[in-house]
Amino acid sequence: MDHGLKIANWNVHGINARARRTAIRSLIDTTDASVVCLQETKMELVYSSVVLEMLGSEFDDYVYLPAIGTRGGILLAWKSTVVSISDPEFTAHTLSAKVCTPGGTPWWITVVYGPQTDADKIAFLQELREVRAACPGPWLLCGDFNLIYRDGDKNNSNLNRRMIGRFRRVLNDLALKEIYLNGRRYTWSNGQSPPTLVHLDRFFCTTDWEESHAECHLRCLASVVSDHSPLLLDCSPVPASHRRFRFEEFWLRLDGFHDTVTAAWNSPHQLELEDGG
């Protein structure tokens, strides 16, 4: 278990302005995060001086996926005194690397910044399948997906149900479980009145990653410099009362699932009542 490991994820809408980097630094300083995942950096080249100014001297190592001009871009930065991150892998819309902490089991992290057009989104979903093939074992997937997989992830009925179905199928095929987001239903707003609100920023994980981080806790942070909410994942144990049970559709396809449910359903249960009440 990765005691004390915290991961901050944020679509920052650009790090190419000093005022924005200062605002990012202010927020990151309050999180005690050891790993920072930023999307939409809007920078083709990310220099160490920029990372130093934006995150502080403790974040002494990083890798990045360059923006195309001022479009896109992903940055993964970390404190090497706390965590070791290596073996970076890149696709058009993802950045993956292997994570190791002292005494912990190695696992993969993939940071995504999903595209805007439907054609690119279809290609992006195929990328996720290819990334999984290249990153075996425990896997954590986070970022701005620019996709939703449930009607309730948006506050109006303007939905692309075909794309919702495609995203849901990929999640099921890859056996990914969403980490429950505490404190907020949506992570992006268009800032209009009335606003369109969407849950675009997420953390997913595989079952073996969850088994090693069963009590992790994900929450939103406040932001005034981006239309996306920053997310903070605390991998340390928290009281069990924070856990939420969620049924995952892919369980239905696991070997022995129906036999296990049938056996549990038919097993005898004794209810002990106090004072005969």
PDB file of all heavy atoms in Angstrom, residues 4-18:
ATOM      1  N   GLY A   4       0.741   7.569   2.331  1.00  0.00           N
ATOM      2  CA  GLY A   4       1.104   8.971   2.185  1.00  0.00           C
ATOM      3  C   GLY A   4       1.146   9.483   0.764  1.00  0.00           C
ATOM      4  O   GLY A   4       1.415  10.667   0.549  1.00  0.00           O
ATOM      5  N   LEU A   5       0.887   8.624  -0.227  1.00  0.00           N
ATOM      6  CA  LEU A   5       0.955   9.064  -1.624  1.00  0.00           C
ATOM      7  C   LEU A   5      -0.331   9.778  -2.013  1.00  0.00           C
ATOM      8  O   LEU A   5      -1.423   9.238  -1.886  1.00  0.00           O
ATOM      9  CB  LEU A   5       1.182   7.868  -2.544  1.00  0.00           C
ATOM     10  CG  LEU A   5       1.379   8.203  -4.027  1.00  0.00           C
ATOM     11  CD1 LEU A   5       2.672   8.985  -4.218  1.00  0.00           C
ATOM     12  CD2 LEU A   5       1.407   6.935  -4.868  1.00  0.00           C
ATOM     13  N   LYS A   6      -0.188  11.010  -2.503  1.00  0.00           N
ATOM     14  CA  LYS A   6      -1.325  11.793  -2.982  1.00  0.00           C
ATOM     15  C   LYS A   6      -1.059  12.219  -4.423  1.00  0.00           C
ATOM     16  O   LYS A   6       0.056  12.625  -4.759  1.00  0.00           O
ATOM     17  CB  LYS A   6      -1.570  13.021  -2.108  1.00  0.00           C
ATOM     18  CG  LYS A   6      -1.990  12.687  -0.678  1.00  0.00           C
ATOM     19  CD  LYS A   6      -2.254  13.942   0.119  1.00  0.00           C
ATOM     20  CE  LYS A   6      -2.662  13.607   1.541  1.00  0.00           C
ATOM     21  NZ  LYS A   6      -2.933  14.839   2.347  1.00  0.00           N
ATOM     22  N   ILE A   7      -2.100  12.132  -5.238  1.00  0.00           N
ATOM     23  CA  ILE A   7      -1.986  12.436  -6.667  1.00  0.00           C
ATOM     24  C   ILE A   7      -2.974  13.541  -7.009  1.00  0.00           C
ATOM     25  O   ILE A   7      -4.186  13.389  -6.808  1.00  0.00           O
ATOM     26  CB  ILE A   7      -2.282  11.188  -7.516  1.00  0.00           C
ATOM     27  CG1 ILE A   7      -1.330  10.042  -7.147  1.00  0.00           C
ATOM     28  CG2 ILE A   7      -2.172  11.519  -9.003  1.00  0.00           C
ATOM     29  CD1 ILE A   7      -1.683   8.722  -7.796  1.00  0.00           C
ATOM     30  N   ALA A   8      -2.457  14.662  -7.512  1.00  0.00           N
ATOM     31  CA  ALA A   8      -3.304  15.775  -7.949  1.00  0.00           C
ATOM     32  C   ALA A   8      -3.467  15.710  -9.459  1.00  0.00           C
ATOM     33  O   ALA A   8      -2.481  15.526 -10.193  1.00  0.00           O
ATOM     34  CB  ALA A   8      -2.689  17.111  -7.548  1.00  0.00           C
ATOM     35  N   ASN A   9      -4.702  15.850  -9.921  1.00  0.00           N
ATOM     36  CA  ASN A   9      -4.997  15.823 -11.356  1.00  0.00           C
ATOM     37  C   ASN A   9      -5.791  17.072 -11.716  1.00  0.00           C
ATOM     38  O   ASN A   9      -6.760  17.424 -11.029  1.00  0.00           O
ATOM     39  CB  ASN A   9      -5.811  14.579 -11.707  1.00  0.00           C
ATOM     40  CG  ASN A   9      -6.168  14.537 -13.177  1.00  0.00           C
ATOM     41  OD1 ASN A   9      -5.384  14.104 -14.007  1.00  0.00           O
ATOM     42  ND2 ASN A   9      -7.379  14.997 -13.506  1.00  0.00           N
ATOM     43  N   TRP A  10      -5.406  17.710 -12.860  1.00  0.00           N
ATOM     44  CA  TRP A  10      -6.076  18.983 -13.181  1.00  0.00           C
ATOM     45  C   TRP A  10      -5.872  19.338 -14.653  1.00  0.00           C
ATOM     46  O   TRP A  10      -4.753  19.330 -15.160  1.00  0.00           O
ATOM     47  CB  TRP A  10      -5.481  20.083 -12.315  1.00  0.00           C
ATOM     48  CG  TRP A  10      -6.252  21.360 -12.260  1.00  0.00           C
ATOM     49  CD1 TRP A  10      -7.501  21.609 -12.756  1.00  0.00           C
ATOM     50  CD2 TRP A  10      -5.822  22.574 -11.638  1.00  0.00           C
ATOM     51  NE1 TRP A  10      -7.867  22.911 -12.483  1.00  0.00           N
ATOM     52  CE2 TRP A  10      -6.863  23.519 -11.798  1.00  0.00           C
ATOM     53  CE3 TRP A  10      -4.670  22.952 -10.964  1.00  0.00           C
ATOM     54  CZ2 TRP A  10      -6.770  24.812 -11.317  1.00  0.00           C
ATOM     55  CZ3 TRP A  10      -4.568  24.239 -10.479  1.00  0.00           C
ATOM     56  CH2 TRP A  10      -5.619  25.161 -10.651  1.00  0.00           C
ATOM     57  N   ASN A  11      -6.970  19.652 -15.327  1.00  0.00           N
ATOM     58  CA  ASN A  11      -6.890  20.322 -16.615  1.00  0.00           C
ATOM     59  C   ASN A  11      -6.739  21.809 -16.310  1.00  0.00           C
ATOM     60  O   ASN A  11      -7.696  22.477 -15.917  1.00  0.00           O
ATOM     61  CB  ASN A  11      -8.150  20.074 -17.447  1.00  0.00           C
ATOM     62  CG  ASN A  11      -8.113  20.773 -18.793  1.00  0.00           C
ATOM     63  OD1 ASN A  11      -7.523  21.850 -18.932  1.00  0.00           O
ATOM     64  ND2 ASN A  11      -8.740  20.195 -19.788  1.00  0.00           N
ATOM     65  N   VAL A  12      -5.525  22.326 -16.506  1.00  0.00           N
ATOM     66  CA  VAL A  12      -5.202  23.677 -16.040  1.00  0.00           C
ATOM     67  C   VAL A  12      -5.452  24.754 -17.083  1.00  0.00           C
ATOM     68  O   VAL A  12      -5.294  25.938 -16.811  1.00  0.00           O
ATOM     69  CB  VAL A  12      -3.733  23.754 -15.576  1.00  0.00           C
ATOM     70  CG1 VAL A  12      -3.532  22.914 -14.338  1.00  0.00           C
ATOM     71  CG2 VAL A  12      -2.787  23.320 -16.694  1.00  0.00           C
ATOM     72  N   HIS A  13      -5.804  24.332 -18.313  1.00  0.00           N
ATOM     73  CA  HIS A  13      -6.126  25.294 -19.376  1.00  0.00           C
ATOM     74  C   HIS A  13      -4.938  26.210 -19.674  1.00  0.00           C
ATOM     75  O   HIS A  13      -5.089  27.405 -19.900  1.00  0.00           O
ATOM     76  CB  HIS A  13      -7.353  26.124 -18.977  1.00  0.00           C
ATOM     77  CG  HIS A  13      -8.061  26.743 -20.154  1.00  0.00           C
ATOM     78  ND1 HIS A  13      -8.574  26.003 -21.200  1.00  0.00           N
ATOM     79  CD2 HIS A  13      -8.333  28.051 -20.453  1.00  0.00           C
ATOM     80  CE1 HIS A  13      -9.128  26.820 -22.076  1.00  0.00           C
ATOM     81  NE2 HIS A  13      -8.993  28.057 -21.656  1.00  0.00           N
ATOM     82  N   GLY A  14      -3.736  25.604 -19.654  1.00  0.00           N
ATOM     83  CA  GLY A  14      -2.548  26.351 -20.067  1.00  0.00           C
ATOM     84  C   GLY A  14      -1.603  26.672 -18.916  1.00  0.00           C
ATOM     85  O   GLY A  14      -2.051  27.123 -17.863  1.00  0.00           O
ATOM     86  N   ILE A  15      -0.287  26.419 -19.144  1.00  0.00           N
ATOM     87  CA  ILE A  15       0.727  26.818 -18.155  1.00  0.00           C
ATOM     88  C   ILE A  15       1.714  27.803 -18.787  1.00  0.00           C
ATOM     89  O   ILE A  15       2.802  28.029 -18.262  1.00  0.00           O
ATOM     90  CB  ILE A  15       1.483  25.588 -17.610  1.00  0.00           C
ATOM     91  CG1 ILE A  15       2.237  24.857 -18.727  1.00  0.00           C
ATOM     92  CG2 ILE A  15       0.536  24.647 -16.888  1.00  0.00           C
ATOM     93  CD1 ILE A  15       3.139  23.730 -18.223  1.00  0.00           C
ATOM     94  N   ASN A  16       1.299  28.411 -19.890  1.00  0.00           N
ATOM     95  CA  ASN A  16       2.197  29.300 -20.617  1.00  0.00           C
ATOM     96  C   ASN A  16       2.109  30.750 -20.167  1.00  0.00           C
ATOM     97  O   ASN A  16       2.677  31.635 -20.798  1.00  0.00           O
ATOM     98  CB  ASN A  16       1.942  29.206 -22.129  1.00  0.00           C
ATOM     99  CG  ASN A  16       0.454  29.231 -22.458  1.00  0.00           C
ATOM    100  OD1 ASN A  16      -0.384  29.335 -21.555  1.00  0.00           O
ATOM    101  ND2 ASN A  16       0.126  29.130 -23.723  1.00  0.00           N
ATOM    102  N   ALA A  17       1.425  31.008 -19.049  1.00  0.00           N
ATOM    103  CA  ALA A  17       1.354  32.362 -18.491  1.00  0.00           C
ATOM    104  C   ALA A  17       1.820  32.319 -17.041  1.00  0.00           C
ATOM    105  O   ALA A  17       1.432  31.420 -16.283  1.00  0.00           O
ATOM    106  CB  ALA A  17      -0.067  32.912 -18.563  1.00  0.00           C
ATOM    107  N   ARG A  18       2.635  33.287 -16.652  1.00  0.00           N
ATOM    108  CA  ARG A  18       3.206  33.285 -15.296  1.00  0.00           C
ATOM    109  C   ARG A  18       2.125  33.374 -14.226  1.00  0.00           C
ATOM    110  O   ARG A  18       2.213  32.702 -13.188  1.00  0.00           O
ATOM    111  CB  ARG A  18       4.189  34.443 -15.155  1.00  0.00           C
ATOM    112  CG  ARG A  18       4.739  34.625 -13.743  1.00  0.00           C
ATOM    113  CD  ARG A  18       5.998  35.441 -13.729  1.00  0.00           C
ATOM    114  NE  ARG A  18       7.091  34.727 -14.374  1.00  0.00           N
ATOM    115  CZ  ARG A  18       8.316  35.239 -14.521  1.00  0.00           C
ATOM    116  NH1 ARG A  18       8.583  36.464 -14.102  1.00  0.00           N
ATOM    117  NH2 ARG A  18       9.272  34.538 -15.105  1.00  0.00           N
TER     118      ARG A  18
END
